[in-house]
Amino acid sequence: MKIGTCATVKYEMKYSISRMTFGGQYLNMLADKIIDIKHYNEIPLRVAYFLTPKGPSALPMLHFICQWSATYLKADEEKAEPP
């Protein structure tokens, strides 16, 4: 499953994170063989990132975390709003 380039992934994220955090997580995912990278012999240089067979197995957990955070972040925001 192709997931795009680093710039595409960063652009499509809803919440911005620092380059340092993104880079660290990227390296962890490469080391854990969750994603893989393909280098193309082109100018300008081009790379693409792909989920490995191990990658999609994490999707149910990530969906659950997104649902959980949406529920509780919304509840926290509603409590913080002045009457």
Side-chain angles (χ1 to χ4, degrees), residues 15 69-82:
Y15 302 103
S69 63
T71 300
Y72 288 98
L73 288 176
K74 183 178 179 182
D76 289 345
E77 289 172 358
E78 290 172 355
K79 289 179 189 176
E81 290 180 9

Side-chain angles (χ1 to χ4, degrees), residues 25 29 32 34 54-69:
Q25 294 305 313
M29 289 187 290
D32 293 338
I34 295 170
K54 187 178 180 180
S57 67
L59 292 177
M61 176 184 57
L62 294 174
H63 288 296
F64 176 78
I65 291 170
C66 289
Q67 290 172 344
W68 179 89
S69 63

Side-chain angles (χ1 to χ4, degrees), residues 10-82:
K10 180 86 170 148
Y11 176 78
E12 291 178 356
M13 282 192 271
K14 184 174 181 180
Y15 302 103
S16 63
I17 60 172
S18 72
R19 285 179 177 249
M20 191 171 191
T21 299
F22 182 78
Q25 294 305 313
Y26 158 77
L27 292 175
N28 288 337
M29 289 187 290
L30 276 173
D32 293 338
K33 299 189 182 338
I34 295 170
I35 63 171
D36 200 4
I37 185 170
K38 180 176 181 176
H39 297 272
Y40 293 91
N41 191 17
E42 299 175 358
I43 297 179
L45 295 177
R46 183 172 69 104
V47 297
Y49 301 93
F50 297 86
L51 286 176
T52 64
K54 187 178 180 180
S57 67
L59 292 177
M61 176 184 57
L62 294 174
H63 288 296
F64 176 78
I65 291 170
C66 289
Q67 290 172 344
W68 179 89
S69 63
T71 300
Y72 288 98
L73 288 176
K74 183 178 179 182
D76 289 345
E77 289 172 358
E78 290 172 355
K79 289 179 189 176
E81 290 180 9

